Each structure stands twice: as structure tokens, then as C-alpha cells.
Amino acid sequence: MTSPLLDVRELRVGFGPAEVVRGVSLSVEPGECVAIVGESGSGKSVTARALLGLAGPGSAVRAASFHVAGRDALAFTPADWRRLRGGFAGLVLQDALVSLDPLRTAAAEIAEVLAVHDVVPRARRAGRVLELLDAVGVPEPALRAGQRPHQLSGGLRQRVLIASAIAADPALIIADEPTTALDVTVQAQILRLLAERKAAGTALLLISHDLAVVAAVADRVLVMKDGRVVEEGPVRQVLAAPAHDYTRTLLAAVPSAASRGTRLTTGTPRTRPAPNLSGQVLAATALSHSYDRRPAVAEVSFTLHEGETLGVVGESGSGKSTLARLALALLEPAHGRVALHQRQWSNQPERARRPLRHRVQLISQNPLDSFDPRHTVGRLVAEPLRLPAGERRERVLDLLERVGLPPGTAGRHPRELSGGQRQRVAIARALGPRPDVLVCDEPVSALDVSVQAQVLDLLADVQAEYGTAMVFISHDLGVVHHVADRVLVMKDGRVVEEGDVEDVFIRPRHPYTRALVAAVPRLGVPAA
Amino acid sequence: MIRRLGTGLAVLWAAATASYVALLLAPGDTVDILVGDGPDTPEIRARIVAEWGLDRPEIVQYVSYLWRLLHGDLGRSYQAQRGVGEILAGQVGPTAQLTLAAAGTGVVLAGVIALATAGRGRWARGAASAAELVAVSVPPFLIGIVLLSVFSFTLGWFPVSGAQGPRALVLPALALGLPIAGVLGQVLRGGLEQALEQPFAVTARARGLTERALVARHALRHALIPAVTLAGWFTGTLLGGAVITEILFGRPGLGQVAMQAVTGRDMPVVMAVVLLSAVVYVTISTLLDLAYRAIDPRIRT
């Protein structure tokens, strides 16, 4: 019986009076993959960092017992911690654009580990860096080694970060949301890479908000909520037969093919009127647009009917957001045109379009960016309303009630609200002018899964009540499968496949769609 | 880069032209100044006009002024009856010494204070930022007077005036350098603390780096970016402050020359000083641009 690499009992981490980790016990055996799953604010990241003595300034870390590499970590000096960091355990954070020093080359970042832990003599460091880059699947290592984060794609950056974490051949890798900012196909590659490290004998502690990501690589999983572990056990068991209510809610809230036609928050069936296929609301014909002669959208046509939801899926850079701007006529197409209710919408002076503007509204990924931070919620929601001042206040309160916000929200500022509340405000504001079309650009991407479920339910209710047509843009195939009637699959600005959502996602014809669908991590199918 | 040089030349031309216009608009008659206290007869006046070419149309005088500038001829002083170039050449040395010493003092003090206090306890940071605030908000001449009365008049450690030897340089360099140290220290510490909170700093700590290595290899470079921007600003402060400091400490230098030229309406000298400042300014901001590119390789324009 080998001793665990890491073993902590009753870990508590506080910042001032607030305690964010409240008694977490966990251990990691050599070669094992343990996952911590939880939503934002659950304390999972702080737990991970505290295990390396990096809980941050102003933190107070306590534990009943705390052993790292068989030694008592409660008695560690800063120098003891430093010897373990990088050497015994490597850390991989999310979004390598900011987790790698933007001013330094990939090679410099990796070589730093080699130097600090004296892994290889100075003369052999450059060669070792190239071997490491090759080992994490970076093509053309010699070229990439000299580049900086902004010159690398998201997937390559994450590989460089992993290369730097494994440079000193640690027994344990702690990965905090290692795939969160990545496209689904790239995410699949990074997960495969982590699984390879595990197969090579490295233990993994994986932190994620995404149960499906964890299912692909982990042996055991801990579910955290409000600083406590509410459930733990083998992945298969926790996913197949969750014992705790919170785990069950979390699993049910994940939108997918199976959740179509149900309310995500309650799991009950939901009815909605069928789209009126004879009522055409928005029609785009052969739209093209380029930035600096690089085509962003090429030859895209679609029709949106009353009460219909058109999903648009694709990876970053596929032209989804440009398509949204063209549909909103915030961007004039270089070629092609857009019609609203069979009347001219694009290719005309803004003055001619303005009387119709209120009919098409936008809901964006991060509403905070589209709110004036100095305005109150009431003022934000009232802005697009063309009503006499007396009726305005009442209508604002109506709208807030419709999206499930208490009337008191009207006097608050967007910064004081949670992500889910902000998105509700954005929906209330978009609904104000009673639009025919809602363009939703990644409306739930920044939200936790339980909040995402609430917002998706709300959008579905709104559509059922008002018959609003929606263009729903997302990188998340599960979300689109849950909400959309029809779907466009975009790649490099072109539509490679379109059709009924069930046809496209269950019987994809185009190789790219097949690759996308195959790359989606799935619940309940743990890797062999 | 070529565009950068083009803008630099345009700035120099604008400075030359602006000072020329200022000369035209200056009250008083040039001939009066040239006659000065000497004999004043219509013949002498006529000879002066002919000799200085003052009878030509203004535009011709302007073009010939630019033409001479291009050939490195700064003109002749009205008062000293010597070439302006010759006058300046004798005075550039002490001013260069003073400004370089002040810049060095400012940078070194700012660096030491920022590195010593970034991310430290509230007490150390509070003390440093209070000192910085005082250095920034008190005008340099007042700092100079305080330094003089304490270290020269009372303690007698340093000479009161003159430019003999390095000891005479200490107080003027401090008077001119302290405000720079104040501003630069605040900016550097802010930059360091911001960089130390970034996710890449967490990654670097997770590699086992000491805080000192983290600052040296990562954070300092990030903190230098805003500091370099400031360096452009303090070039101007140094040039302006040098005039006051030189007069206060009775040091020879361009400040004295400029002061005398302004009070004596010796416009060719004033213009030359303005032009020289513009040259220094343009050169330094071009160098800073290059420094930017070296520090932050993301800038490629």
C-alpha cells in the first residue's frame, strides 16, 4: 500500500471573516485522477490552490491534518512549499492567455521550471523545452517555442501551460478548469492529453464546473457546494446514482438532446406552440462580410419564422458573432441582404431602419459590457421603452416581474447583481419594446449550469408567451440541441450543414459536424 | 519607424517656426535691442539693418533662418555679439550633468522604494506613498531651498552654489530628481502590485519561484511599461526644472543662458534654447518608443 500523495482532513480557508472552504477532506493516491466539481463560489479553486500553499494574500488556511508528499504541510515554511511547487506538483490554470506571462516566450516559461528545479543542465534546457512541447502535441515546436501567448491559439497556449506544469516530471498535476475557455474539439484534445499523462502514471486533481468533462478522465469525484463536499464517490456511481439532491439538480440542469421539451429546473415537460412556418420574420440571402480582406461570413442564407428558434453553432472564429451583427443590421454586409417581415432591413441608411429597430433585440454573452455601469437597473430597462414617463415605471416593474426579479432590483446597479440576475435584466430590457426577433449571442456561456438552466427556461417561457423568434448562437451543442428547432453549423464563415436539429446532431452528414458531435464530452460514459 | 522619424522632424520644424513667430510678435524693435546702450544715430541704425538683413520681407528672413538652421548655424546673439552655437556649447555640459544626475537619482530612488515596498505591509507602503506624495506635490524650488538651508547653511556638508566637482552636484540633482522619484515610484509600485496579482504570477509561483525571482523575471517588466510612458513626461519636467534649479543654486548652464536671453530679449538665443529642448525631447521620445518595443513585443506597428 503506497501512501497518498496528498491527504488533507477538514481543510478550512478563510479570507477575513468570510470562510470559503469549510471543512474539505480529500486525498489523492499516486496515479489516480480525482475531480472536484462545483459551481462558482463553491470554493473548488481556493481548495486547489490551498493544496499548493497558494491560497493567496490575506487567506487563513487551517486543517485537522494536512500531508503533502508524506510530510506535514501544516509545518511548512515558504521554502518548503517552493520546493514542492513545480517539482512535486504542477499547476495548470484556465485560459493560458493570462496564465502565461504575455511578455515572455513559450520557451522561457517552460525553461523557468527546468531552471528552478535544476531538472537538466543549462546547456540542455533548450533541447528539453522542444522535447516537452513535442510531448504535449505542439506541432512545429521549434517555431512555437519562440512565440508569445498572443501569437498562439487557445489550444496551443493550454498545451504550453501543460508542458510547463510537467517539465519537472511531477507526481501530481493540479488542473483548475483546464479546458474552460476552449472550443469543443480543442477541449477534447486537451482532455486526451491529460488522460495520457494519467496513463503514464501521473496523478491528476481536476477542478471543473463541467460534470461531463470530469466524467471523461476522473476515477473519483467530489461535488462541492458552498465550501463543503456534499457528495463523493467513484465517477460512475455519482453520475449514475447521485445520492445528494444538489448532485441530482446539477445533473438534471445540463441541457442536452435528452432534456428537449422539458423544463431544466424542474425536469417537468413543457409545451410550446409550434413555429408558424408560413410567417417569415427574418430572411438573410447570401450574406458575406470580410475584415481586412479575411472573410468572416461567406454566402450565408437563412430564414427565421414566427416563434421559431434557429440555432447557430460553430467554434471560435467561425463567424457566428459576425452573423449576429449582420442580422441585427449593426454591420452592413459586403454582399447579400437581410429582410425583416419581407421589407428591406440591411443596405439602407440607419434613418430608414430606426422605426423598425425595436423589433430586433440583442442578448449578449456578458450583459455587464452592454450596460452603462452608472445607470440603475430601472433606468437600463426603461431606456428602450417609448412610453410616457408615468407609465414607464409600471412597465419596468412588469418586465422585472416577468423575468423573475423582485421590484427592488430596479434601484440597484448591475455590478451589485449576480451573473444570472444580470442576464435576467438583459432579457427584461430586450423584451421591453416587444420585439419579433431576439438575437441571443452566447447568452448562457458565462453562467453556472444551474443558473444557465433558469435562464434557458425563462427564454423558453418568453418564446411560448409572445411567439418571439430567436436566433440562438452558442458554441455549446448541448444547449443548442435543447433549445433550437433548426440549426446552422458554421465553419470558417460558411454554413457547412443545416437542417432540423435532430437530423443534424443525431445523423450528421458533414465530416465537420460529425467531428463536433463526437468531441462533446458526455455524461455517464466514463473513459475505459 | 520611418513615420516616427518623419513626425520627429515635423515637431522640430514646428518648434523652429513657433519660436520664429514668437520673435516676430515680441514687443519692441529689434534694432533698439541691437543698438542697446551704444551710440544711436540714423547711420548706425541703417548699418545694423543692412548687416542683419532686417530690411528684407519677413518671409525671406524666415526662409533664410530655416536654411541656416539646416546648416547648423543658430545665428548670432544680439547681446554677446557671438555665435549662438558657441554660447550654448559652453553651457551644455553643466546642464547635461545636472539633468542626467537628477534623472538617475529619480530612477534609482523610485526603483529602490518600489521594489522594497511593493506588496509589503500596510505600514511600509503607507510611509513610502506619503513620502512620494510630498516629493510630488512640493515644487522643486522649495525642495531646493529646504535642502540648501539644511545641508549647506546649517550642516555645511555641501557648497551653496557653483558647479565645482561632484559635491556641488548633489543638492541640485536631489532637488530636481525627488519629484520624479515620487511619481515614478508610485507608478512602478502600482505596476508591480498589479502584475503580482495576475494569473500568470500564480502560475509562476506554482513553478516554485521565490517572490524575488517572480518580481525580477515577470512583474518588473510589466511595471516598466507605464513607467516608460512617464519617462516621456519627465523629460519635459527635467528641462523646465533645470532652469529654476540652476538659478537657485547659482550653477552655470543653459538655464542661466535662457534666463539672461529672455530678460535681455536676445531672441536668437531664446530660439536656440527652445530648439535644443525640442531636439532633446524628440530624441528621447524616439528612444522610448524603441524601449517600448523591446519591453512589450506585442507592439508591432
Side-chain angles (χ1 to χ4, degrees):
Chain A
M1 179 75 201
T2 49
S3 67
L5 297 173
L6 197 77
D7 184 75
V8 64
R9 299 290 123 199
E10 289 294 311
L11 176 72
R12 290 174 182 276
V13 185
F15 292 90
E19 199 173 51
V20 294
V21 177
R22 314 179 193 185
V24 168
S25 299
L26 93 117
S27 70
V28 182
E29 303 286 331
E32 183 189 33
C33 176
V34 177
I36 303 180
V37 176
E39 299 190 289
S40 40
S42 63
K44 58 188 192 302
S45 282
V46 177
T47 303
R49 288 180 194 192
L51 296 177
L52 286 178
L54 285 173
S59 63
V61 179
R62 288 176 296 140
S65 77
F66 188 178
H67 289 89
V68 181
R71 296 168 55 204
D72 184 6
L74 290 173
F76 275 0
T77 62
D80 290 329
W81 277 120
R82 279 200 298 275
R83 270 191 290 278
L84 289 180
R85 289 180 203 144
F88 166 76
L91 180 68
V92 179
L93 294 175
Q94 73 165 315
D95 194 4
L97 184 60
V98 289
S99 299
L100 288 169
D101 189 335
L103 300 182
R104 304 178 84 220
T105 61
E109 291 283 89
I110 298 170
E112 191 166 88
V113 189
L114 301 177
V116 169
H117 297 281
D118 216 2
V119 181
V120 291
R122 181 186 287 268
R124 284 181 38 218
R125 273 179 213 155
R128 184 84 185 102
V129 165
L130 296 185
E131 288 167 27
L132 283 162
L133 285 173
D134 191 52
V136 296
V138 170
E140 301 179 85
L143 168 74
R144 299 302 182 184
Q147 291 186 323
R148 294 182 170 79
H150 71 284
Q151 295 164 306
L152 302 169
S153 67
L156 286 180
R157 285 200 290 268
Q158 209 65 30
R159 284 171 195 268
V160 170
L161 198 56
I162 292 175
S164 89
I166 64 171
D169 199 16
L172 170 68
I173 298 175
I174 298 181
D176 188 357
E177 302 274 9
T179 64
T180 297
L182 303 178
D183 280 325
V184 59
T185 52
V186 183
Q187 167 174 285
Q189 293 162 11
I190 296 294
L191 288 177
R192 216 172 298 139
L193 179 60
L194 289 174
E196 276 168 27
R197 298 309 307 177
K198 188 190 151 200
T202 312
L204 273 177
L205 180 64
L206 188 61
I207 318 295
S208 181
H209 69 285
D210 190 336
L211 280 162
V213 161
V214 161
V217 273
D219 302 310
R220 283 193 301 127
V221 61
L222 285 74
V223 181
M224 274 185 79
K225 182 177 194 295
D226 300 330
R228 291 195 178 86
V229 175
V230 295
E231 177 162 5
E232 71 172 295
V235 160
R236 215 177 277 267
Q237 180 193 320
V238 171
L239 293 181
H244 194 278
D245 279 347
Y246 178 69
T247 317
R248 272 197 288 274
T249 323
L250 217 52
L251 285 168
V254 178
S256 66
S259 67
R260 260 181 90 73
T262 63
R263 299 182 60 83
L264 287 167
T265 43
T266 58
T268 50
R270 165 169 68 81
T271 51
R272 68 175 257 238
N276 174 10
L277 293 181
S278 58
Q280 177 186 317
V281 188
L282 200 67
T285 318
L287 289 179
S288 296
H289 192 82
S290 309
Y291 296 115
D292 299 329
R293 269 175 262 152
R294 283 204 4 243
V297 163
E299 303 277 322
V300 173
S301 303
F302 65 82
T303 315
L304 182 68
H305 304 96
E306 283 171 24
E308 183 183 41
T309 300
L310 176 68
V312 181
V313 296
E315 299 190 291
S316 36
S318 61
K320 304 186 302 282
S321 287
T322 305
L323 187 63
R325 292 169 60 86
L326 290 169
L328 287 156
L330 292 174
L331 198 65
E332 286 286 342
H335 299 285
R337 62 199 154 75
V338 186
L340 179 66
H341 290 298
Q342 286 158 348
R343 281 155 66 190
Q344 192 173 12
W345 174 240
S346 66
N347 308 84
Q348 59 177 337
E350 184 61 30
R351 198 148 39 92
R353 194 155 40 219
R354 201 162 293 136
L356 291 173
R357 267 271 174 238
H358 66 279
R359 301 229 184 174
V360 186
Q361 294 292 317
L362 167 72
I363 296 172
S364 59
Q365 174 173 359
N366 188 355
L368 204 55
D369 292 344
S370 61
F371 293 157
D372 185 329
R374 284 171 220 282
H375 288 193
T376 61
V377 166
R379 192 167 164 196
L380 288 166
V381 175
E383 197 168 33
L385 302 177
R386 276 176 284 177
L387 288 173
E391 295 167 39
R392 208 177 284 170
R393 169 141 187 94
E394 206 174 322
R395 176 97 173 106
V396 166
L397 294 181
D398 271 358
L399 285 164
L400 289 179
E401 193 192 345
R402 182 67 205 82
V403 298
L405 290 172
T409 318
R412 300 176 69 189
H413 288 270
R415 265 195 195 289
E416 304 168 309
L417 304 177
S418 70
Q421 288 172 321
R422 285 177 199 150
Q423 204 56 288
R424 285 171 194 270
V425 172
I427 293 171
R429 181 171 68 164
L431 289 179
R434 299 202 169 86
D436 304 324
V437 182
L438 277 180
V439 177
C440 308
D441 190 359
E442 301 276 5
V444 292
S445 305
L447 304 177
D448 278 325
V449 62
S450 61
V451 182
Q452 166 176 290
Q454 294 163 12
V455 170
L456 288 177
D457 280 352
L458 173 61
L459 283 172
D461 292 346
V462 161
Q463 185 173 46
E465 190 173 337
Y466 303 108
T468 320
M470 281 200 266
V471 177
F472 195 103
I473 293 170
S474 179
H475 70 283
D476 187 328
L477 271 63
V479 170
V480 171
H481 204 156
H482 175 80
V483 299
D485 300 302
R486 284 185 308 125
V487 62
L488 304 180
V489 182
M490 290 188 70
K491 183 179 194 299
D492 301 331
R494 291 182 183 276
V495 172
V496 296
E497 184 161 356
E498 66 173 298
D500 186 86
V501 75
E502 299 278 348
D503 283 342
V504 172
F505 285 166
I506 293 172
R507 291 172 292 277
R509 291 186 309 270
H510 193 277
Y512 178 69
T513 318
R514 271 186 223 140
L516 268 188
V517 172
V520 176
R522 276 181 176 64
L523 285 171
V525 200
Chain B
M1 203 58 231
I2 287 168
R3 241 181 58 200
R4 193 74 191 71
L5 283 175
T7 353
L9 288 176
V11 168
L12 291 183
W13 169 76
T17 308
S19 54
Y20 192 82
V21 171
L23 167 66
L24 283 182
L25 296 178
D29 184 29
T30 313
V31 184
D32 281 348
I33 299 167
L34 283 166
V35 169
D37 300 332
D40 188 0
T41 63
E43 291 78 49
I44 290 175
R45 282 187 168 259
R47 218 178 61 224
I48 287 173
V49 166
E51 192 182 320
W52 291 81
L54 297 173
D55 49 349
R56 294 173 301 167
E58 272 140 15
I59 184 76
V60 175
Q61 292 190 44
Y62 168 67
V63 171
S64 87
Y65 160 69
L66 281 187
W67 184 249
R68 278 184 283 123
L69 266 190
L70 275 180
H71 292 79
D73 179 3
L74 291 166
R76 286 172 61 79
S77 157
Y78 292 162
Q79 282 183 328
Q81 303 293 340
R82 284 195 297 153
V84 173
E86 197 185 320
I87 296 175
L88 293 189
Q91 304 295 329
V92 164
T95 302
Q97 265 180 21
L98 172 63
T99 45
L100 288 177
T105 310
V107 169
V108 169
L109 275 180
V112 167
I113 294 174
L115 288 173
T117 58
R120 292 295 163 85
R122 198 190 296 172
W123 191 86
R125 300 187 61 236
S129 71
E132 282 157 0
L133 198 64
V134 170
V136 176
S137 43
V138 176
F141 73 85
L142 196 61
I143 297 181
I145 291 171
V146 171
L147 289 174
L148 272 178
S149 54
V150 174
F151 294 103
S152 298
F153 297 129
T154 312
L155 296 171
W157 291 355
F158 300 104
V160 177
S161 69
Q164 269 73 54
R167 276 163 61 84
L169 194 57
V170 174
L171 293 185
L174 272 178
L176 195 52
L178 278 177
I180 290 169
V183 179
L184 202 60
Q186 284 175 337
V187 169
L188 267 180
R189 184 173 53 243
L192 283 174
E193 286 176 350
Q194 213 181 357
L196 288 173
E197 282 171 11
Q198 299 295 311
F200 68 76
V202 177
T203 311
R205 286 190 187 104
R207 290 181 189 134
L209 252 65
T210 59
E211 286 297 303
R212 201 174 299 164
L214 177 60
V215 167
R217 288 191 215 164
H218 296 267
L220 193 56
R221 201 162 162 188
H222 287 262
L224 278 179
I225 297 170
V228 167
T229 313
L230 254 190
W233 161 81
F234 75 60
T235 309
T237 312
L238 274 176
L239 292 175
V243 176
I244 299 164
T245 313
E246 283 176 0
I247 292 164
L248 184 66
F249 287 90
R251 284 176 60 86
L254 290 176
Q256 296 277 11
V257 172
M259 190 68 189
Q260 281 165 19
V262 169
T263 44
R265 292 222 210 92
D266 195 347
M267 292 316 282
V269 176
V270 175
M271 283 160 66
V273 171
V274 169
L275 209 58
L276 185 64
S277 317
V279 169
V280 170
Y281 204 90
V282 166
T283 312
I284 289 193
S285 58
T286 308
L287 289 177
L288 290 180
D289 249 30
L290 292 174
Y292 255 140
R293 276 155 222 257
I295 295 170
D296 190 347
R298 286 172 296 182
I299 302 171
R300 288 266 179 264
T301 43

